[in-house]
């Protein structure tokens, strides 16, 4: 709903800029000056996309760090049975973040399409949109690597915990059998 209203607002703004350009041309203002409102809007949006791209790149770096931490945890004997995502909340958070990035990317592509629909082509805007698309795809790819590392760790950790539990149960059963023998007067 919010993206729809944002798209509508941007579309209305682009139409007003295009109408302003037409009015400016009708009164004799040269085309390169008349298209200035659209050009400035496209430049502002392109700069905003560059900032978003930098943010997504920082997120990718953090994801790499988390993936390395999970793999390091899995490599240590004590860490192998710790940090299990039983409730799958970590997975949900990571997938939710990817969904949000994809939604933002789709909105960016839609806005670039709106500029073209009013007859304005901006190579700078298109380059920024393409880079943002690539950054989102890379962040989502890295997120999937993190999820794979978490899943592998969880499987190993659960197997270790099950093995430890089986050993404890076997020890308890052995102790109970020994206690029963002692109680029955049978010496081992």
């Amino acid at each position: 709903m919010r993206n729809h209203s944002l798209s509508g607002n941007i579309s209305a703004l682009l139409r007003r800029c295009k109408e302003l350009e037409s009015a400016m041309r009708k009164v004799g203002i040269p085309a390169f000056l008349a298209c200035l409102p659209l050009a400035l809007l496209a430049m502002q949006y392109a700069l905003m996309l560059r900032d978003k791209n930098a943010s997504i790149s920082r997120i990718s770096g953090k994801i790499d760090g988390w993936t390395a931490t999970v793999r390091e945890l899995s490599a240590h004997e004590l860490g192998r049975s710790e940090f299990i995502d039983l409730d799958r909340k970590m997975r949900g958070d990571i997938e939710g973040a990817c969904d949000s990035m994809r939604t933002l990317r789709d909105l960016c592509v839609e806005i670039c399409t709106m500029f073209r629909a009013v007859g304005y082509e901006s190579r700078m805007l298109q380059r920024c949109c393409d880079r943002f698309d690539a950054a989102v795809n890379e962040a989502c790819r890295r997120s999937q690597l993190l999820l794979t590392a978490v899943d592998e760790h969880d499987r190993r950790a659960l197997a270790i915990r099950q093995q430890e539990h089986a050993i404890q149960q076997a020890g308890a059963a052995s102790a109970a059998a020994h206690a029963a023998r002692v109680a029955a007067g049978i010496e081992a």
Side-chain angles (χ1 to χ4, degrees):
M1 184 76 128
R2 184 169 179 222
N3 286 344
H4 181 67
S5 65
L6 182 61
S7 294
N9 290 341
I10 292 170
S11 181
L13 180 60
L14 286 170
R15 276 193 311 276
R16 284 192 300 273
C17 285
K18 189 63 176 176
E19 289 167 3
L20 177 61
E21 177 184 348
S22 295
M24 292 169 74
R25 282 185 178 195
K26 283 180 185 176
V27 296
I29 295 177
F32 74 93
L33 287 177
C35 74
L36 198 55
L38 274 173
L40 291 174
L41 189 59
M43 187 175 72
Q44 179 185 5
Y45 189 66
L47 293 174
M48 184 184 76
L49 274 178
R50 282 186 10 190
D51 290 343
K52 298 265 184 235
N53 193 13
S55 295
I56 297 294
S57 295
R58 282 192 297 275
I59 290 169
S60 288
K62 288 180 182 184
I63 291 168
D64 286 345
W66 296 334
T67 303
T69 299
V70 169
R71 288 184 176 146
E72 187 177 323
L73 255 171
S74 294
H76 294 294
E77 193 65 37
L78 294 176
R80 285 186 190 156
S81 62
E82 298 298 321
F83 178 67
I84 301 173
D85 187 28
L86 289 176
D87 60 3
R88 311 287 277 177
K89 283 187 179 180
M90 183 176 187
R91 172 176 278 283
D93 290 345
I94 294 168
E95 288 172 346
C98 283
D99 289 344
S100 295
M101 287 187 289
R102 287 184 192 111
T103 299
L104 182 59
R105 178 201 47 215
D106 294 345
L107 179 63
C108 293
V109 169
E110 182 182 349
I111 291 170
C112 288
T113 302
M114 286 181 208
F115 273 96
R116 284 191 297 277
V118 296
Y120 187 80
E121 293 283 335
S122 169
R123 286 184 295 216
M124 178 182 176
L125 179 59
Q126 190 58 52
R127 275 192 312 271
C128 289
C129 189
D130 292 344
R131 287 180 187 139
F132 186 71
D133 180 47
V136 168
N137 288 338
E138 181 62 15
C140 291
R141 185 190 69 78
R142 290 177 185 195
S143 294
Q144 189 55 51
L145 292 175
L146 172 59
L147 290 174
T148 300
V150 168
D151 287 344
E152 289 171 357
H153 170 78
D154 288 353
R155 279 193 298 278
R156 278 193 300 270
L158 287 171
I160 289 169
R161 290 246 174 126
Q162 289 171 344
Q163 190 177 35
E164 289 171 350
H165 183 67
I167 290 169
Q168 288 172 350
Q169 284 183 326
S174 176
H178 178 69
R181 283 192 306 270
V182 169
I186 304 171
E187 291 291 324

